[in-house]
Amino acid sequence: MSATLDLAAERFMTMAEATSLLPRLRAGRPVHPSTVARWALRGLRGRRLRSVRIGATLCTTATWLSEFIAEISPKSTKIEEISINRTAIDAKLAAKGLLPHSTEKRTPRVAKIATPKKLN
């Protein structure tokens, strides 16, 4: 890539700083800096987070991070489309007898826990 970077126009940040721009996930924990670095080095879903090395430090920008998130995000996340597809699928399965009728109550599944044997 022969494009020159305008250091005055972009604010470069380390991968650790970039994690502060991302929402907290899994049990409220932040995204780990090594995850963001992996997105830059190996990529995710065929896309790589743009980054530069400044000395030994891997850096990115907020613009590059938002472009990366937009590229890897699903294009259609409308709840209406998902529920319509689910309803159509359920109707087809019910027509083939693979789903219980909607009037029937489904029995909840109960996990069986093994009880330890008593020692004599």
Side-chain angles (χ1 to χ4, degrees), residues 68-83:
F68 174 75
I69 297 298
E71 287 176 356
I72 65 167
S73 297
K75 303 301 179 206
S76 175
T77 57
K78 294 181 182 177
I79 299 299
E80 297 85 20
E81 289 179 15
I82 295 169
S83 64

Side-chain angles (χ1 to χ4, degrees), residues 50-71:
R50 285 181 61 189
S51 62
V52 294
R53 281 213 183 264
I54 301 176
T57 306
L58 191 61
C59 299
T60 191
T61 67
T63 304
W64 292 347
L65 186 59
S66 63
E67 289 171 358
F68 174 75
I69 297 298
E71 287 176 356

Side-chain angles (χ1 to χ4, degrees), residues 113-119:
I113 300 173
T115 56
K117 294 181 180 180
K118 292 182 182 179
L119 297 176

Side-chain angles (χ1 to χ4, degrees), residues 14-89:
T14 64
M15 299 298 150
E17 292 170 332
T19 61
S20 66
L21 300 177
L22 298 169
R24 291 179 174 263
L25 304 172
R26 300 184 188 223
R29 294 185 310 223
V31 175
H32 199 274
S34 66
T35 301
V36 181
R38 186 173 55 251
W39 294 343
L41 298 173
R42 295 184 193 157
L44 178 68
R45 298 182 192 147
R47 307 283 189 217
R48 284 179 52 181
L49 171 62
R50 285 181 61 189
S51 62
V52 294
R53 281 213 183 264
I54 301 176
T57 306
L58 191 61
C59 299
T60 191
T61 67
T63 304
W64 292 347
L65 186 59
S66 63
E67 289 171 358
F68 174 75
I69 297 298
E71 287 176 356
I72 65 167
S73 297
K75 303 301 179 206
S76 175
T77 57
K78 294 181 182 177
I79 299 299
E80 297 85 20
E81 289 179 15
I82 295 169
S83 64
I84 288 170
N85 290 340
R86 179 63 191 199
T87 305
I89 291 169

